[in-house]
Every structure is written in C-alpha cells, then in structure tokens.
Amino acid sequence: MPTQTAYFQGSFVPLAEAKIGIMTQAFLYGTACFEGIRGNWNEDDGTIYLFRLREHYQRLRMSGRILRIALPLSDDELCDLTVELVVRNGYSEDIYIRPIAYKSEEAITPRLHDISDDFLIFVTPFGNYLDSEQGIRCMTSTWRRVEDTAIPARAKVNGMYVNSALAKTEAQENGFDEAIMLDERGHVSEGSGENICIVRNGKLITPSPSDNILEGITLDTVVTLARDELGIETVHRSIDRSELYIASECFMTGTAAHVTAVVEVDRRPVGDGKTGEITQRLQRLFFDAIRGKNDKYSHWLTPVKPQSSGQPEDRQGVKAERVP
Ligand code: PMP
C-alpha cells in the first residue's frame, strides 16, 4: 500500500501518523476552520489542476480572523506547501485537499483567546459528490441555517457543520439528495455544503452575503463565467422559499458539488424537471475551466504535473514537479 502524506505539526508525515490527542480543544468544541480545495485531473495532459488555491487560503485566513486563529504562513507559502504535498502524494486522479487551522491546546474551556493553534493539510482522492449529470432532488430543510449572530456562516467553521449534517441526513433519509436551508427570516440561504442559485427571467439570482451563506468560490466562478461568457447578470438578493417553486432553473455550486442542477424542490419539478439550458451552458464552461481546457481562465489554476504519472497503487516515490 502507498503511504499517503499529510502536513502536520510543521512537517510532512505519513497520514496514519497524523493524530491529535482526545483533549484537543478543536475536537472538544469544533473550534477550527477549514477549506476544501479540489485538484482536477486532466487525463489528456497528465496534469492535476488545483482550483483557485490562493482564494481558498485567503478565505481560510478570513475564517481564522473570526475564530482568532492565525495562519502560520503567507499565502504564497501556503500555496507552495500545498503543491509540495500534492507532489509528494503523487496522485493521478481527482483529489480533494483539506487544510485545517485549529485550536490545538488540550483545554477544557470553549474559548478563543489565550489558546494555541496549529495548522494541517491532508489530501485524498475524490470523485463526484452530487450527481451533476442528472441533477438532484432537494427538500427545504426543517433545520434553519445558523445565523451570523450564532455561528457566522461566512466562516468555514468545523463545528458549524453540525447544522449541515442535521439537514443533510434529514434530506437523505426522506429520499432526497440534498437539503436547502432557510435562515431565521425564512429566506433561502444554502445547501449543506453548496451555494444555491435560481434563474428567473434570464437572470441568475442568488442569496445576498447577509443571508447566512458561505461566500462561495465556485459561485464566484459561475457568476464570472455567466457575465463574461454568456452576458448574463447575477442579482444578489434575498430569495423566498416560494421563488424556488416558480424559478425556471435552479442549481447548486460548491467545491465538492461543482455545478449541479436542482431538478426538483419539495416534490415540485423545477422548470421542466430537467437540467436547464443556462445551467448546462454554465456547467460546460465550468468543467472546461477547472480542468485546464480554457486558457482564458488559466489564472484560476495551479498545475501540478507528475513526471511519470502512475496508477494510485504505484504513486509512492513518483517524482513530480510544479509547472511554472
Ligand atoms: N456553502 C457551504 C455551507 C459549503 O460548505 C460550501 C463548500 N465549501 C459552499 C457553500 C460552497 O463554497 P465553495 O464554492 O467555495 O466550495
């Protein structure tokens, strides 16, 4: 079996050895923040393209400001470290990178001040998360999205994902693929791990940043592609639940979820119950951009090229280099 490598306590170690103690404050109280970053494998040129790496670290730094966790390295250093870790793992398939900044002290108090923190990264192979081919069926969750006055959703706080897990399990155990959460005012906020967007009158509409959402990097990507490639404007404003029922299209965006059509909400078809035309066009643009098939968007990508790309089984010891 190959050795998977993590970055842990300041050095590269086998993943199996990257362990934290059971009294670690982040484990006890969820006092940590994280990112999810995709590396998309392009079979044609044998390259993994890390997507919007710097923006993910900028968002992690912002989450850390809210949780009073300082990142130990600059954005450049974090990007270089991540590339090095991807190289060391030697995957030639789609991957998911998880950096976590966490309260590392062993302490029995749920506080943010006067407590040490640390930073780690691991990498794991990762395929499709939602069915972006067929589209998904969603339900409006009975769970409300955490409010900015409780746990700020714009920070990617580990403990906050209990809210997501409650909604996701409720949705799946009721036969749906994903949950759509409303905030306390009844406005649509987001999915358990995705932003949401509807199409009405040819425009994209997505909840405003004050509707208790994570300010998604995939959403920003789609908004840019819609504007620059399709001439479609995006309106950021509150969305009512009933608007989901009359939208002509609806889709979710996320690092794990990519761009996935929502074809049914609360047992009502969205539009004609199939992936809408604008969603399809955005999906094509998005998938080309993330796999390095559209040079116009190469600034979003950090290519990592294994020198001799092997199957996952022989990745140990595979040499790799960063493409400038
Ligand atoms: N909302 C939540 C709650 C999420 O967990 C995610 C996934 N990170 C998103 C939205 C989408 O954000 P991004 O496109 O940056 O992955």
Side-chain angles (χ1 to χ4, degrees):
M1 279 292 286
T3 307
Q4 291 174 279
T5 303
Y7 179 80
F8 183 62
Q9 295 178 338
S11 51
F12 294 106
V13 298
L15 183 66
E17 288 171 23
K19 305 264 191 235
I20 58 162
I22 59 172
M23 282 178 64
T24 305
Q25 210 235 23
F27 176 67
L28 297 182
Y29 303 113
T31 43
C33 50
F34 70 98
E35 276 302 317
I37 306 164
R38 269 208 191 247
N40 301 296
W41 172 244
N42 182 327
E43 188 68 48
D44 299 338
D45 62 6
T47 303
I48 291 187
Y49 291 96
L50 310 184
F51 190 62
R52 301 191 71 174
L53 186 56
R54 180 173 299 271
E55 287 92 327
H56 279 284
Y57 279 117
Q58 286 166 344
R59 188 170 65 184
L60 185 64
R61 200 175 294 282
M62 187 201 71
S63 297
R65 286 176 70 137
I66 293 173
L67 286 191
R68 297 175 65 166
I69 300 176
L71 294 184
L73 300 168
S74 69
D75 290 347
D76 280 345
E77 289 167 332
L78 289 166
C79 290
D80 288 348
L81 185 66
T82 307
V83 167
E84 162 125 39
L85 185 65
V86 171
V87 165
R88 281 174 182 254
N89 278 278
Y91 291 113
S92 45
E93 60 193 301
D94 288 347
I95 56 168
Y96 182 86
I97 301 160
R98 170 63 61 96
I100 308 177
Y102 63 104
K103 296 288 182 190
S104 55
E105 208 161 303
E106 303 204 331
I108 315 273
T109 336
R111 66 171 197 270
L112 300 178
H113 64 285
D114 295 340
I115 193 153
S116 60
D117 41 54
D118 208 344
F119 172 76
L120 61 79
I121 320 176
F122 67 83
V123 182
T124 187
F126 198 65
N128 272 353
Y129 178 71
L130 292 175
D131 190 344
S132 55
E133 301 266 308
Q134 297 296 312
I136 55 167
R137 299 173 55 245
C138 292
M139 68 171 273
T140 307
S141 183
T142 64
W143 296 98
R144 293 295 169 107
R145 189 71 181 133
V146 281
E147 289 286 313
D148 196 68
T149 49
I151 306 177
R154 68 163 45 75
K156 218 166 150 50
V157 178
N158 288 50
M160 183 186 69
Y161 279 79
V162 171
N163 183 228
S164 293
L166 288 165
K168 180 82 174 180
T169 289
E170 179 190 44
Q172 291 200 321
E173 292 192 343
N174 280 289
F176 296 90
D177 301 302
E178 186 53 281
I180 297 172
M181 283 183 280
L182 308 179
D183 68 10
E184 291 295 345
R185 291 162 301 168
H187 293 146
V188 172
S189 63
E190 57 186 349
S192 66
E194 307 84 13
N195 292 113
I196 190 164
C197 204
I198 57 172
V199 179
R200 285 190 71 189
N201 304 319
K203 283 186 190 158
L204 303 186
I205 309 174
T206 194
S208 96
S210 330
D211 286 338
N212 300 296
I213 60 166
L214 182 73
E215 295 168 27
I217 292 168
T218 316
L219 178 68
D220 177 74
T221 303
V222 166
V223 166
T224 304
L225 292 171
R227 185 192 60 215
D228 295 351
E229 300 294 328
L230 306 179
I232 293 177
E233 173 195 342
T234 303
V235 182
H236 298 261
R237 65 153 172 85
S238 296
I239 297 176
D240 293 325
R241 175 179 182 167
S242 58
E243 281 193 281
L244 299 173
Y245 299 162
I246 57 170
S248 52
E249 300 183 32
C250 179
F251 60 85
M252 285 183 159
T253 61
T255 294
H258 293 309
V259 179
T260 297
V262 176
V263 294
E264 197 185 301
V265 178
D266 297 342
R267 303 185 195 278
R268 298 156 192 256
V270 177
D272 62 3
K274 299 201 187 80
T275 304
E277 193 205 313
I278 292 177
T279 308
Q280 274 182 38
R281 292 168 75 192
L282 288 170
Q283 281 177 327
R284 278 196 289 272
L285 288 162
F286 176 77
F287 284 115
D288 280 354
I290 66 169
R291 289 200 197 279
K293 297 183 177 173
N294 185 342
D295 288 347
K296 192 168 161 191
Y297 297 103
S298 58
H299 59 283
W300 281 337
L301 307 176
T302 306
V304 183
K305 197 175 181 75
Q307 270 174 359
S308 80
S309 52
Q311 293 305 306
E313 297 76 59
D314 11 282
R315 67 178 164 255
Q316 195 176 15
V318 167
K319 283 202 187 147
E321 63 181 12
R322 183 176 178 182
V323 178

